[in-house]
Coordinates of all heavy atoms in Angstrom, one line a residue:
Chain A
T1091 N -1.9 4.9 3.1 CA -2.0 4.4 4.4 C -2.4 5.5 5.4 O -3.3 5.4 6.3 CB -0.7 3.8 4.9 OG1 -0.5 2.6 4.1 CG2 -0.7 3.5 6.4
E1092 N -1.7 6.6 5.3 CA -1.9 7.8 6.2 C -3.3 8.4 6.0 O -4.0 8.8 6.9 CB -0.8 8.9 6.1 CG 0.5 8.4 6.6 CD 0.5 7.9 8.0 OE1 -0.3 8.5 8.8 OE2 1.1 6.9 8.3
M1093 N -3.7 8.4 4.7 CA -5.0 9.0 4.4 C -6.2 8.2 4.9 O -7.2 8.7 5.2 CB -5.1 9.3 2.9 CG -5.6 10.6 2.5 SD -5.6 10.9 0.8 CE -4.1 11.7 0.5
L1094 N -5.9 6.9 5.0 CA -7.0 6.0 5.5 C -7.3 6.2 7.0 O -8.4 5.8 7.4 CB -6.7 4.5 5.1 CG -6.9 4.1 3.7 CD1 -6.5 2.7 3.5 CD2 -8.4 4.3 3.3
K1095 N -6.2 6.7 7.6 CA -6.5 6.9 9.1 C -7.6 7.9 9.3 O -7.6 9.1 8.8 CB -5.2 7.4 9.7 CG -4.1 6.4 9.8 CD -2.9 6.8 10.5 CE -1.9 5.8 10.5 NZ -0.6 6.1 11.1
G1096 N -8.7 7.5 9.9 CA -9.8 8.4 10.1 C -10.9 8.2 9.1 O -12.0 8.5 9.4
T1097 N -10.6 7.7 7.9 CA -11.6 7.5 6.9 C -12.0 6.0 6.8 O -13.2 5.8 6.5 CB -11.1 8.0 5.5 OG1 -10.0 7.3 5.1 CG2 -10.8 9.4 5.6
L1098 N -11.1 5.1 7.1 CA -11.4 3.7 6.9 C -12.6 3.3 7.8 O -13.5 2.6 7.4 CB -10.2 2.9 7.3 CG -10.4 1.4 6.9 CD1 -10.9 1.1 5.6 CD2 -9.2 0.6 7.2
E1099 N -12.6 3.9 9.0 CA -13.8 3.6 9.9 C -15.1 4.0 9.4 O -16.0 3.3 9.3 CB -13.5 4.3 11.3 CG -14.6 4.0 12.3 CD -14.4 4.6 13.6 OE1 -13.3 4.5 14.2 OE2 -15.3 5.3 14.1
G1100 N -15.0 5.2 8.8 CA -16.2 5.8 8.2 C -16.7 4.9 6.9 O -17.9 4.6 6.8
I1101 N -15.7 4.5 6.2 CA -16.0 3.6 5.0 C -16.7 2.3 5.5 O -17.6 1.9 4.9 CB -14.6 3.3 4.3 CG1 -14.1 4.6 3.6 CG2 -14.9 2.2 3.2 CD1 -12.7 4.4 3.0
V1102 N -16.2 1.7 6.5 CA -16.7 0.5 7.0 C -18.1 0.7 7.6 O -19.1 -0.1 7.3 CB -15.8 -0.2 8.1 CG1 -16.5 -1.4 8.8 CG2 -14.5 -0.7 7.5
L1103 N -18.3 1.7 8.3 CA -19.6 2.1 8.8 C -20.6 2.3 7.6 O -21.7 1.8 7.7 CB -19.6 3.3 9.7 CG -18.9 3.2 11.0 CD1 -18.9 4.5 11.7 CD2 -19.4 2.1 11.8
A1104 N -20.1 2.9 6.6 CA -21.0 3.2 5.4 C -21.3 1.8 4.8 O -22.5 1.6 4.3 CB -20.3 4.1 4.4
L1105 N -20.4 0.9 4.7 CA -20.7 -0.4 4.1 C -21.7 -1.1 4.8 O -22.5 -1.9 4.3 CB -19.3 -1.2 4.1 CG -18.4 -0.9 3.0 CD1 -17.1 -1.8 3.1 CD2 -19.0 -1.1 1.6
L1106 N -21.8 -0.9 6.1 CA -22.7 -1.6 7.0 C -24.1 -1.0 7.0 O -25.1 -1.6 7.6 CB -22.2 -1.6 8.4 CG -21.0 -2.5 8.7 CD1 -20.6 -2.5 10.2 CD2 -21.3 -4.0 8.3
T1107 N -24.2 0.1 6.3 CA -25.6 0.8 6.3 C -26.5 -0.1 5.5 O -26.4 -0.3 4.4 CB -25.5 2.2 5.6 OG1 -24.5 3.0 6.3 CG2 -26.8 2.9 5.7
G1108 N -27.6 -0.5 6.2 CA -28.6 -1.2 5.6 C -28.3 -2.7 5.3 O -29.2 -3.5 4.9
K1109 N -27.1 -3.1 5.5 CA -26.7 -4.5 5.3 C -25.7 -5.0 6.2 O -24.6 -4.5 6.2 CB -26.2 -4.7 3.9 CG -26.2 -6.1 3.4 CD -25.4 -6.2 2.1 CE -23.9 -6.2 2.4 NZ -23.0 -6.4 1.2
A1110 N -26.1 -5.9 7.2 CA -25.1 -6.5 8.1 C -24.1 -7.3 7.4 O -24.3 -7.8 6.3 CB -25.9 -7.4 9.1
A1111 N -22.9 -7.4 7.9 CA -21.8 -8.2 7.3 C -20.8 -8.7 8.3 O -20.8 -8.2 9.4 CB -21.1 -7.3 6.2
Y1112 N -20.0 -9.7 7.9 CA -19.0 -10.2 8.8 C -17.6 -9.8 8.3 O -17.5 -9.4 7.1 CB -19.1 -11.7 9.0 CG -19.2 -12.5 7.8 CD1 -18.0 -13.1 7.3 CD2 -20.3 -12.7 7.0 CE1 -18.0 -13.9 6.1 CE2 -20.3 -13.5 5.8 CZ -19.2 -14.1 5.5 OH -19.1 -14.8 4.3
G1113 N -16.7 -9.9 9.2 CA -15.3 -9.4 8.9 C -14.7 -9.8 7.6 O -14.3 -9.0 6.8
Y1114 N -14.7 -11.1 7.3 CA -14.1 -11.6 6.1 C -14.8 -11.0 4.8 O -14.2 -10.6 3.9 CB -14.2 -13.1 6.1 CG -13.4 -13.8 5.0 CD1 -12.0 -14.1 5.2 CD2 -14.0 -14.2 3.8 CE1 -11.3 -14.7 4.3 CE2 -13.2 -14.8 2.8 CZ -11.9 -15.1 3.1 OH -11.1 -15.7 2.1
E1115 N -16.1 -10.9 5.0 CA -17.0 -10.4 3.9 C -16.6 -8.9 3.7 O -16.5 -8.4 2.6 CB -18.5 -10.5 4.3 CG -19.5 -10.2 3.3 CD -20.9 -10.3 3.9 OE1 -21.0 -10.5 5.1 OE2 -21.8 -10.1 3.0
I1116 N -16.5 -8.2 4.8 CA -16.1 -6.7 4.7 C -14.8 -6.6 3.9 O -14.6 -5.7 3.1 CB -16.1 -6.1 6.1 CG1 -17.5 -6.1 6.6 CG2 -15.5 -4.7 6.0 CD1 -17.7 -5.7 8.1
T1117 N -13.8 -7.4 4.3 CA -12.5 -7.3 3.7 C -12.6 -7.5 2.2 O -12.1 -6.7 1.4 CB -11.6 -8.4 4.2 OG1 -11.5 -8.2 5.7 CG2 -10.2 -8.3 3.7
T1118 N -13.4 -8.5 1.7 CA -13.5 -8.8 0.3 C -14.3 -7.6 -0.4 O -14.1 -7.2 -1.4 CB -14.2 -10.1 0.1 OG1 -15.5 -10.1 0.7 CG2 -13.4 -11.3 0.5
L1119 N -15.4 -7.1 0.4 CA -16.1 -5.9 -0.2 C -15.2 -4.7 -0.4 O -15.2 -4.1 -1.5 CB -17.2 -5.5 0.9 CG -18.5 -6.1 0.7 CD1 -19.5 -5.7 1.9 CD2 -19.2 -5.7 -0.6
L1120 N -14.3 -4.4 0.5 CA -13.4 -3.3 0.4 C -12.5 -3.6 -0.8 O -12.3 -2.6 -1.6 CB -12.6 -3.2 1.6 CG -13.2 -2.6 2.9 CD1 -12.4 -2.8 4.1 CD2 -13.5 -1.1 2.6
R1121 N -12.0 -4.8 -1.0 CA -11.1 -5.1 -2.1 C -11.9 -4.9 -3.4 O -11.4 -4.4 -4.4 CB -10.6 -6.5 -1.9 CG -9.8 -6.7 -0.6 CD -8.6 -7.6 -0.9 NE -7.7 -7.5 0.3 CZ -7.3 -8.5 1.1 NH1 -7.9 -9.6 1.0 NH2 -6.5 -8.3 2.1
A1122 N -13.2 -5.3 -3.5 CA -14.0 -5.1 -4.6 C -14.2 -3.7 -4.9 O -14.3 -3.3 -6.1 CB -15.3 -5.8 -4.4
Q1123 N -14.2 -2.8 -3.9 CA -14.4 -1.4 -4.1 C -13.2 -0.6 -4.5 O -13.2 0.5 -4.7 CB -15.0 -0.8 -2.8 CG -16.2 -1.4 -2.3 CD -17.4 -0.6 -2.4 OE1 -17.3 0.7 -2.4 NE2 -18.6 -1.2 -2.5
G1124 N -12.1 -1.4 -4.7 CA -10.9 -0.8 -5.1 C -9.7 -0.7 -4.1 O -8.6 -0.3 -4.4
F1125 N -10.1 -0.9 -2.8 CA -9.0 -0.9 -1.8 C -8.4 -2.3 -1.8 O -8.5 -3.0 -0.8 CB -9.7 -0.6 -0.4 CG -10.4 0.7 -0.4 CD1 -11.8 0.9 -0.5 CD2 -9.6 2.0 -0.3 CE1 -12.4 2.1 -0.5 CE2 -10.2 3.2 -0.3 CZ -11.6 3.3 -0.4
T1126 N -7.6 -2.5 -2.8 CA -7.1 -3.9 -3.1 C -6.0 -4.3 -2.0 O -5.8 -5.5 -1.9 CB -6.5 -3.9 -4.4 OG1 -5.5 -2.9 -4.6 CG2 -7.5 -3.8 -5.5
E1127 N -5.4 -3.4 -1.3 CA -4.4 -3.7 -0.5 C -4.6 -3.6 0.9 O -3.7 -3.6 1.7 CB -3.1 -2.9 -0.9 CG -2.7 -3.1 -2.3 CD -1.5 -2.1 -2.7 OE1 -0.4 -2.3 -2.2 OE2 -1.7 -1.2 -3.5
I1128 N -5.9 -3.5 1.3 CA -6.2 -3.4 2.7 C -5.9 -4.7 3.4 O -6.2 -5.8 2.9 CB -7.7 -3.1 2.9 CG1 -8.1 -1.8 2.4 CG2 -8.1 -3.3 4.3 CD1 -8.0 -0.7 3.4
A1129 N -5.1 -4.6 4.5 CA -4.7 -5.8 5.2 C -5.8 -6.4 6.0 O -6.6 -5.7 6.6 CB -3.5 -5.5 6.1
E1130 N -5.9 -7.7 6.0 CA -7.0 -8.4 6.8 C -6.9 -8.0 8.2 O -8.0 -7.6 8.8 CB -6.7 -9.9 6.7 CG -7.9 -10.7 6.0 CD -7.8 -12.1 6.3 OE1 -6.6 -12.7 6.2 OE2 -8.8 -12.7 6.7
G1131 N -5.7 -8.0 8.8 CA -5.6 -7.6 10.3 C -6.2 -6.3 10.6 O -6.7 -6.0 11.6
T1132 N -6.0 -5.4 9.6 CA -6.5 -4.0 9.8 C -8.0 -4.0 10.0 O -8.5 -3.3 10.9 CB -6.1 -3.2 8.6 OG1 -4.7 -3.1 8.5 CG2 -6.7 -1.8 8.7
V1133 N -8.7 -4.8 9.2 CA -10.2 -4.8 9.3 C -10.6 -5.4 10.6 O -11.5 -4.8 11.2 CB -10.8 -5.6 8.1 CG1 -12.3 -5.7 8.2 CG2 -10.3 -4.9 6.7
Y1134 N -10.1 -6.5 10.9 CA -10.5 -7.1 12.2 C -10.2 -6.2 13.4 O -11.1 -6.1 14.3 CB -9.8 -8.5 12.4 CG -10.4 -9.5 11.4 CD1 -9.6 -10.0 10.4 CD2 -11.7 -9.9 11.6 CE1 -10.1 -11.0 9.5 CE2 -12.2 -10.9 10.7 CZ -11.4 -11.4 9.7 OH -12.0 -12.4 8.8
A1135 N -9.1 -5.6 13.4 CA -8.8 -4.7 14.5 C -9.8 -3.5 14.5 O -10.2 -3.1 15.6 CB -7.4 -4.1 14.4
L1136 N -10.1 -3.0 13.4 CA -11.1 -1.9 13.3 C -12.5 -2.4 13.8 O -13.1 -1.6 14.5 CB -11.2 -1.4 11.8 CG -12.0 -0.2 11.6 CD1 -11.5 0.5 10.3 CD2 -13.4 -0.5 11.4
L1137 N -12.8 -3.6 13.5 CA -14.1 -4.1 13.9 C -14.2 -4.2 15.5 O -15.2 -3.9 16.1 CB -14.4 -5.5 13.3 CG -14.7 -5.4 11.7 CD1 -14.8 -6.7 11.1 CD2 -15.9 -4.6 11.5
V1138 N -13.1 -4.7 16.0 CA -13.0 -4.8 17.5 C -13.2 -3.4 18.1 O -14.0 -3.2 19.0 CB -11.6 -5.4 17.9 CG1 -11.4 -5.1 19.4 CG2 -11.5 -6.8 17.6
R1139 N -12.6 -2.4 17.4 CA -12.6 -1.0 17.9 C -14.1 -0.5 17.9 O -14.6 0.1 18.9 CB -11.7 -0.2 17.2 CG -10.9 0.7 18.0 CD -9.7 1.3 17.1 NE -10.1 1.9 15.9 CZ -9.5 1.7 14.8 NH1 -8.5 0.9 14.6 NH2 -9.9 2.3 13.7
I1140 N -14.7 -0.6 16.7 CA -16.1 0.0 16.7 C -17.1 -0.8 17.5 O -18.1 -0.3 17.9 CB -16.6 0.0 15.2 CG1 -16.7 -1.3 14.6 CG2 -15.6 0.9 14.3 CD1 -17.2 -1.3 13.1
E1141 N -16.8 -2.1 17.8 CA -17.6 -2.8 18.7 C -17.5 -2.3 20.1 O -18.4 -2.0 20.8 CB -17.3 -4.3 18.7 CG -18.1 -5.1 19.6 CD -17.7 -6.6 19.7 OE1 -16.8 -7.0 19.0 OE2 -18.4 -7.4 20.5
Q1142 N -16.2 -2.0 20.5 CA -16.0 -1.5 21.9 C -16.5 -0.1 22.1 O -16.9 0.3 23.1 CB -14.5 -1.6 22.2 CG -14.0 -3.0 22.5 CD -12.5 -3.1 22.6 OE1 -11.8 -2.2 22.2 NE2 -12.0 -4.2 23.1
K1143 N -16.5 0.6 20.9 CA -17.1 2.0 21.0 C -18.7 1.9 21.0 O -19.3 2.9 21.2 CB -16.7 2.8 19.8 CG -15.3 3.3 19.8 CD -15.1 4.5 18.9 CE -13.9 4.4 18.1 NZ -13.8 5.5 17.0
G1144 N -19.2 0.7 20.8 CA -20.7 0.6 20.9 C -21.4 1.1 19.6 O -22.5 1.4 19.6
L1145 N -20.7 1.1 18.4 CA -21.3 1.5 17.2 C -22.0 0.4 16.4 O -22.8 0.7 15.5 CB -20.2 2.2 16.3 CG -19.3 3.3 16.9 CD1 -18.3 3.8 16.0 CD2 -20.2 4.4 17.5
V1146 N -21.8 -0.8 16.8 CA -22.3 -2.0 16.1 C -22.8 -3.0 17.1 O -22.3 -3.1 18.2 CB -21.3 -2.6 15.1 CG1 -21.0 -1.7 13.9 CG2 -20.0 -2.9 15.9
D1147 N -23.8 -3.8 16.6 CA -24.2 -5.0 17.4 C -23.6 -6.2 16.7 O -23.4 -6.2 15.5 CB -25.7 -5.0 17.4 CG -26.3 -3.9 18.2 OD1 -25.6 -3.3 19.1 OD2 -27.4 -3.4 17.8
V1148 N -23.2 -7.2 17.5 CA -22.5 -8.4 17.0 C -23.4 -9.6 17.3 O -24.0 -9.8 18.3 CB -21.2 -8.5 17.6 CG1 -20.4 -9.6 16.9 CG2 -20.4 -7.2 17.6
E1149 N -23.4 -10.5 16.3 CA -24.1 -11.8 16.5 C -23.2 -12.9 15.8 O -22.7 -12.7 14.7 CB -25.4 -11.7 15.7 CG -26.3 -12.9 16.1 CD -27.5 -12.9 15.1 OE1 -27.7 -12.0 14.4 OE2 -28.2 -14.0 15.0
K1150 N -23.1 -13.9 16.5 CA -22.2 -15.1 16.0 C -23.1 -16.1 15.2 O -24.1 -16.5 15.8 CB -21.5 -15.8 17.2 CG -20.1 -16.2 16.8 CD -19.3 -16.7 18.1 CE -17.9 -16.1 18.1 NZ -17.2 -16.4 19.4
R1151 N -22.7 -16.4 14.0 CA -23.5 -17.3 13.3 C -22.6 -18.4 12.7 O -21.5 -18.1 12.2 CB -24.2 -16.6 12.1 CG -25.4 -15.8 12.5 CD -26.2 -15.3 11.3 NE -26.8 -14.0 11.7 CZ -27.1 -13.1 10.7 NH1 -26.8 -13.3 9.5 NH2 -27.7 -11.9 11.1
P1152 N -23.0 -19.7 12.7 CA -22.2 -20.7 12.2 C -22.0 -20.6 10.6 O -22.9 -20.0 10.0 CB -23.0 -22.0 12.4 CG -24.4 -21.5 12.6 CD -24.3 -20.2 13.2
S1153 N -20.9 -21.0 10.1 CA -20.6 -21.0 8.7 C -20.5 -22.4 8.1 O -20.3 -23.3 8.8 CB -19.3 -20.3 8.5 OG -18.7 -20.5 7.2

Side-chain angles (χ1 to χ4, degrees):
Chain A
T1091 291
E1092 289 309 317
M1093 226 179 265
L1094 281 177
K1095 292 185 181 178
T1097 59
L1098 186 55
E1099 181 179 309
I1101 292 172
V1102 169
L1103 292 180
L1105 283 177
L1106 288 178
T1107 302
K1109 194 191 79 178
Y1112 55 98
Y1114 193 83
E1115 190 184 5
I1116 292 172
T1117 303
T1118 58
L1119 269 176
L1120 284 170
R1121 300 216 166 118
Q1123 306 250 333
F1125 301 100
T1126 53
E1127 298 175 69
I1128 294 271
E1130 240 196 315
T1132 298
V1133 176
Y1134 286 112
L1136 189 154
L1137 290 173
V1138 167
R1139 227 163 52 223
I1140 64 177
E1141 180 185 357
Q1142 281 170 352
K1143 285 203 225 167
L1145 308 179
V1146 286
D1147 297 329
V1148 190
E1149 191 194 346
K1150 218 169 225 174
R1151 285 189 211 154
S1153 162

